[in-house]
Amino acid sequence: MPVDRVFSMQGFGTVAAGTILSGGIAVGDHVEIFPQGIVAKARGIQVHSRGAGSSAVGIRTAVNLQGIEKQQLSRGQFLGAPGSLVTTRRIDARLSILSGQGCALKNRTRLRLHISASDVTCRLVLQDRETIVPGDSAPVQFVLDEPIVALAGDRYIIRTLTPIATVGGGTVLDASAVRHKRFDENAMSGLARLEGDVCDIVEQMLIKSRFSALAAPEIARQTGKFSDGVAEALDRLCAEGKAVALSRPAAAGGAPAHYIHVAALDELAGRIMNIVRSYFRENPHKAAMPAADLQSRCAQYSGREVFDGACALLARRGDIAVDGARITLAGHAAQMSPQELALADRLLQVYAKTGFSPDPEEKVRQDLGAARPLFKKIFGSLIEQKKLVRINEEMTFTTDTIKKFLDTIEPFENDPNGVRLIYLRDTLCASRKFVKTLLLHFAPHLHKKRGGEE
């Protein structure tokens, strides 16, 4: 509700009056005063000078605000549900100059903008010309001297500062505009879409948001369009291959789907590929990149949902493969120098020989006479290649050894009595310490206490 009158009533306190444009209000509701961001409680409501429990769209309403001083309110403010509106200092619009205006307006002319109940000084930025003449119409941007609340589709008028004269008006295209480069073709195309049908407007909102996915309710709020129309436009854009739904509601009442423009998704996918390729150029001995590492490097561009969507796109294309917490690059294989290959072979031989009774990592390194940095590099590469399985610093096994262990316990998976450690110790010719650790690591559901023996 735009506030157009503020007054005090003895015994009640501060009252804000206006006409409700959307939604409704009831006694006891919390409201936010925009653009100041002050939250207050509606202690009472009057409609046509009579008390009421609530009010709705199109009704002239007076709201008694609890705990608010008259000095905190002024004409031009908005009352709304907390977090429901956003303030702006930059507006994209279509401006038409009155034919009777006797002079042209130049770029960066200072004007007074009247929109809803707000009255604010601003600077005019012409997007595709240096001057706008009487009777002409053009896309413009208003840079405001102070924040206000505006919505796409709002009508406005402009006046000169001195002498005061109405020179034109128009319609808001984007109430949360970003700064455009003048005469930029992409910017002009975007403004043209904002003057198109609902599908064009929704597409422009997705293009503007780039790597930030948007849900239909959020787009509806930004554009002033009905949610049903926005949802239909999103479905159409997805069918035409212009947008991608990153998630779907799990059930009725679940979280709404979020959407991103396909051009932005492709751009993010390209950035991800550059990061992955760079990682493997710097780490040719690595077989995979930690997914958490990749996600952290992309955090500056997008959130987790959009990142997952871009990775899924690359996986469908066959550019990368996502294996749990690992990212592998198509066509990449771990590369090692002759010295590194030799150390890798020796490491595998050592762990193959020790079987179920491996030595600690540090002892293996010392026995091989390998420098610690080189040892850690090759040891880590063999784990990534799944040739070694590391349980802890004291226990590392070859993949074949682990397979033998899993094959041995497999017959006991459905046995309610589990498996005895003594059986595994004798069958695998291994110490109880190593067998117990493996059993706890791979199959805790099989670890049962039976009498004095585990």
Side-chain angles (χ1 to χ4, degrees):
M1 182 185 83
V3 177
D4 55 31
R5 186 183 175 210
V6 178
F7 57 93
S8 293
M9 292 183 64
Q10 188 173 3
F12 290 92
T14 304
V15 178
T19 301
I20 297 177
L21 299 182
S22 66
I25 187 171
V27 173
D29 285 351
H30 284 85
V31 297
E32 184 173 349
I33 303 167
F34 298 91
Q36 285 71 21
I38 303 170
V39 177
K41 185 177 181 180
R43 182 165 60 182
I45 295 174
Q46 280 196 351
V47 176
H48 300 304
S49 300
R50 295 185 178 182
S54 63
S55 187
V57 178
I59 300 176
R60 180 79 182 165
T61 306
V63 183
N64 177 209
L65 298 173
Q66 182 177 338
I68 298 296
E69 300 295 329
K70 181 181 177 182
Q71 293 76 13
Q72 294 178 276
L73 297 179
S74 62
R75 178 184 173 88
Q77 293 174 327
F78 267 74
L79 298 186
S84 62
L85 299 173
V86 293
T87 59
T88 181
R89 297 188 67 158
R90 197 177 289 267
I91 294 173
D92 283 333
R94 166 63 62 172
L95 171 63
S96 298
I97 302 297
L98 295 174
S99 299
Q101 169 64 15
C103 64
L105 293 180
K106 296 180 180 180
N107 182 54
R108 298 188 65 78
T109 298
R110 290 190 60 77
L111 300 164
R112 184 166 291 278
L113 176 72
H114 298 266
I115 180 170
S116 189
S118 299
D119 176 4
V120 60
T121 54
C122 64
R123 192 175 296 279
L124 171 68
V125 179
L126 298 173
Q127 299 297 314
D128 62 351
R129 63 196 70 192
E130 293 298 337
T131 60
I132 181 170
V133 299
D136 203 357
S137 177
V140 302
Q141 186 169 93
F142 295 110
V143 182
L144 313 179
D145 290 348
E146 57 188 77
I148 65 169
V149 171
L151 299 172
D154 283 354
R155 303 288 296 177
Y156 68 89
I157 62 171
I158 57 169
R159 293 185 172 124
T160 53
L161 298 182
T162 54
I164 299 175
T166 300
V167 295
T171 305
V172 174
L173 300 178
D174 186 353
S176 301
V178 297
R179 183 177 181 178
H180 305 305
K181 184 177 180 180
R182 297 182 65 218
F183 303 101
D184 180 73
E185 291 185 4
N186 290 330
M188 294 301 101
S189 297
L191 292 174
R193 277 189 289 269
L194 290 174
E195 296 185 89
D197 60 18
V198 176
C199 202
D200 291 331
I201 294 171
V202 171
E203 182 180 7
Q204 178 57 26
M205 289 295 102
L206 294 178
I207 292 173
K208 175 187 169 184
S209 69
R210 292 195 70 201
F211 304 141
S212 298
L214 298 177
E218 185 175 0
I219 297 175
R221 178 177 60 80
Q222 291 182 12
T223 60
K225 303 298 181 182
F226 291 109
S227 296
D228 290 346
V230 170
E232 290 177 3
L234 287 167
D235 289 341
R236 178 178 166 187
L237 290 171
C238 289
E240 294 175 354
K242 295 179 180 179
V244 175
L246 296 179
S247 62
R248 290 289 182 185
H258 284 70
Y259 299 82
I260 186 171
H261 198 272
V262 69
L265 193 62
D266 284 338
E267 182 182 348
L268 180 59
R271 296 191 181 196
I272 290 176
M273 285 301 298
N274 289 336
I275 293 173
V276 172
R277 292 189 183 105
S278 176
Y279 176 86
F280 285 114
R281 280 195 301 269
E282 297 170 1
N283 303 277
H285 61 287
K286 296 278 190 178
M289 179 182 186
D293 187 4
L294 178 59
Q295 199 278 328
S296 67
R297 297 191 192 192
C298 293
Q300 60 180 312
Y301 305 127
S302 69
R304 182 59 183 268
E305 186 179 40
V306 178
F307 168 79
D308 289 344
C311 287
L313 174 64
L314 291 170
R316 289 195 299 271
R317 292 176 178 174
D319 295 329
I320 65 172
V322 182
D323 179 14
R326 294 157 37 97
I327 303 289
T328 56
L329 179 64
H332 173 79
Q335 301 174 10
M336 298 183 186
S337 65
Q339 178 188 9
E340 292 169 342
L341 284 172
L343 178 58
D345 288 340
R346 292 170 64 194
L347 263 173
L348 291 174
Q349 291 173 11
V350 167
Y351 282 112
K353 182 178 181 180
T354 54
F356 288 101
S357 301
D359 291 325
E361 292 172 22
E362 182 60 21
K363 183 176 186 307
V364 173
R365 184 191 69 80
Q366 293 175 356
D367 290 345
L368 293 175
R372 185 171 282 107
L374 178 61
F375 179 84
K376 291 180 65 176
K377 175 181 177 181
I378 302 307
F379 185 81
S381 179
L382 291 174
I383 291 175
E384 287 182 349
Q385 295 177 57
K386 298 184 178 181
K387 294 182 179 180
L388 290 179
V389 178
R390 184 181 187 271
I391 307 300
N392 54 46
E393 292 183 358
E394 303 293 321
M395 300 183 193
T396 299
F397 306 88
T398 65
T399 303
D400 289 341
T401 301
I402 293 299
K403 184 178 183 304
K404 182 178 180 181
F405 174 79
L406 295 176
D407 289 344
T408 303
I409 66 173
E410 183 178 6
F412 298 91
E413 286 187 354
N414 298 319
D415 191 331
N417 296 318
V419 58
R420 286 179 175 271
L421 286 180
I422 192 170
Y423 168 80
L424 293 176
R425 183 194 65 186
D426 295 342
T427 302
L428 300 174
C429 298
S431 71
R432 184 176 181 277
K433 168 187 172 181
F434 291 107
V435 170
K436 181 179 179 181
T437 300
L438 284 171
L439 193 60
L440 289 171
H441 183 81
F442 286 102
H445 60 286
L446 292 177
H447 181 66
K448 307 285 185 179
K449 287 187 177 181
R450 299 184 63 194
E453 180 60 43
E454 293 179 321

